[in-house]
Amino acid sequence: MAEVRSAILGTGRAYPQGILTNADLEKMVETSDDWITTRTGIKERHRAAEGEYTSLFAVQASRQAIERARIDPLEIGLVICATVSPDQILPSTGCLIQAELGAHKAAAFDLVAACSGFLYGLTMADKMIKTGQIRYALVIGAEVLTRYVDFTDRSTCILFGDGAGAAVMGPAEGDRGVLSTRIYSDGRFAEQLYSPGGGTRVRPTAETLAQGLHYFKMKGNELFKMAVRSMADVSIEVLNEAGFKPEDVKLFIPHQANQRITDAVASRLNVDGSIVYSNIAYHGNTSAASVPIALDECVEKGMMSEGDLVLLASFGGGVTWGGALIKW
Ligand code: ACO
């Protein structure tokens, strides 16, 4: 079949009603609104209540994306749920979402690439649409990270939030669509951000739970430097591949990990702050959900016009990173 370009045809997002503010965190650990705001840019984040789980938000975000793409769920050939906080180990959250949506003709699975998961999924979907194997894909980033956060560890509990974002991808019209993508990982840095317990290596027992081995452990400082370098480098790479320069970009949507990381990446790329999207103040770091939530907010705010170059970049645990350039 002839190769076609893929495009994002509809987006959606959802998150819990519950909000955890910096003032709330001040009562839980030794921290301050001033420290969190200055060091990260975060003011509040959404937090799932008991009984709320990852697929709940993923399904809401997906329904919105499907409605906006004006397709029938049965037309979807691929459902990718990027997450590090699945509903359960088996079956995949992707399959649970597929069932809720009635997307019974799709292949569905989970993709574990931490904060880069959405860009990994977008890359996979792009290739399958390009080769004509599928017509429509639903790519979701969904997390309830606060279940894996140790609320006695001030270095991590201030960062993470919950939510989901989704995008329907399909064949592009004209010369718009995904122009280039790149994804990478380097497992030598696995222990920069990891949850040591709960799998087959350190299986979950009452003891491992009491020791908090299922919680995220992070070396923030080292990740910070890698995140800045990787997101800037991969951005240049996807731009070069498509024959563009940073100054051609109309909207840059980076993974929302830390406002200082975003500012440092923008400065390395030498792009004006006005084209760099940030919602970290209200969501914190939602890992795989971060880029698609931000993308949907930008769509809703009317921040891109047809033909605009939109640059996406991400970095996360693994370590993983990726970039994509889209002609809107
Ligand atoms: N409140 C007050 N003080 C704190 C807090 C807090 N919440 N957390 C740490 N501190 C203290 C530290 O103990 C340290 O004190 P010390 O100097 O007396 O030892 C001091 O503040 C400085 O700590 P640093 O860790 O050096 O602070 P830094 O400026 O690096 O900020 C942060 C920490 C916010 C974690 C930053 O390093 C960061 O954002 N890193 C990147 C995180 C990331 O991108 N992760 C990957 C993606 S996430 C994913 O894949 C799911």
Side-chain angles (χ1 to χ4, degrees):
M1 234 182 266
E3 198 173 274
V4 290
R5 199 177 269 174
S6 79
I8 292 178
L9 307 178
T11 58
R13 68 181 193 278
Y15 18 74
Q17 293 289 307
I19 287 175
L20 187 68
T21 64
N22 290 351
D24 295 327
L25 284 162
E26 281 177 351
K27 292 176 204 139
M28 298 161 80
V29 286
E30 202 186 322
T31 191
S32 66
D33 173 43
D34 184 52
W35 193 96
I36 302 171
T37 309
T38 329
R39 298 293 183 115
T40 71
I42 304 168
K43 299 297 282 183
E44 57 187 41
R45 63 293 284 149
H46 292 265
R47 186 183 185 183
E50 278 306 317
E52 291 183 322
Y53 44 90
T54 303
S55 67
L56 204 65
F57 306 110
V59 167
Q60 283 173 31
S62 300
R63 287 209 168 107
Q64 195 181 54
I66 291 167
E67 200 182 302
R68 287 178 174 165
R70 297 203 183 97
I71 60 159
D72 190 295
L74 286 173
E75 294 180 276
I76 298 171
L78 179 69
V79 175
I80 299 178
C81 179
T83 186
V84 289
S85 47
D87 280 13
Q88 55 209 53
I89 291 288
L90 187 72
S92 72
T93 307
C95 283
L96 301 173
I97 297 165
Q98 167 188 34
E100 281 295 313
L101 296 174
H104 307 311
K105 291 192 175 158
F109 63 93
D110 286 1
L111 190 160
V112 181
C115 306
S116 312
F118 180 77
L119 284 179
Y120 268 58
L122 182 144
T123 301
M124 300 294 130
D126 173 55
K127 306 306 171 222
M128 282 183 77
I129 292 166
K130 264 189 177 150
T131 57
Q133 191 166 347
I134 55 161
R135 189 162 172 81
Y136 298 109
L138 173 65
V139 184
I140 308 153
E143 305 281 10
V144 175
L145 296 177
T146 56
R147 297 273 198 275
Y148 291 95
V149 162
D150 178 356
F151 280 98
T152 66
D153 173 11
R154 67 178 182 174
S155 68
T156 53
C157 74
I158 55 144
L159 291 174
F160 299 108
D162 303 332
V168 168
M169 294 175 66
E173 279 172 17
D175 68 344
R176 61 184 291 249
V178 177
L179 302 183
S180 52
T181 61
R182 276 283 176 276
I183 50 173
Y184 294 103
S185 56
D186 191 339
R188 289 174 298 178
F189 300 100
E191 290 189 8
Q192 301 282 347
L193 174 58
Y194 76 128
S195 110
T200 56
R201 196 168 187 168
V202 181
R203 69 187 170 86
T205 62
E207 204 183 4
T208 64
L209 281 175
Q211 289 168 346
L213 296 185
H214 55 297
Y215 291 136
F216 291 157
K217 321 281 176 201
M218 187 176 80
K219 293 178 188 140
N221 257 319
E222 286 156 54
L223 282 170
F224 192 107
K225 288 177 232 155
M226 271 194 267
V228 173
R229 208 172 39 238
S230 311
M231 284 203 278
D233 288 353
V234 80
S235 295
I236 295 291
E237 208 177 330
V238 292
L239 282 162
N240 281 345
E241 195 192 319
F244 290 101
K245 294 195 161 58
E247 55 265 34
D248 299 319
V249 174
K250 283 281 164 24
L251 180 64
F252 176 35
I253 306 177
H255 166 51
Q256 310 285 310
N258 183 321
Q259 189 58 45
R260 290 188 297 133
I261 293 179
T262 295
D263 294 344
V265 175
S267 158
R268 275 195 175 218
L269 293 176
N270 201 18
V271 293
D272 195 87
S274 62
I275 67 148
V276 185
Y277 189 69
S278 173
N279 64 13
I280 190 142
Y282 304 103
H283 292 293
N285 179 345
T286 56
S287 191
S290 147
V291 170
I293 286 176
L295 186 66
D296 185 55
E297 288 183 354
C298 291
V299 170
E300 217 166 76
K301 290 178 182 175
M303 292 175 73
M304 38 303 227
S305 307
E306 205 176 311
D308 280 354
L309 277 189
V310 179
L311 174 67
L312 311 177
S314 196
F315 175 86
V319 294
T320 58
W321 64 103
L325 187 68
I326 302 171
K327 188 167 187 182
W328 205 257

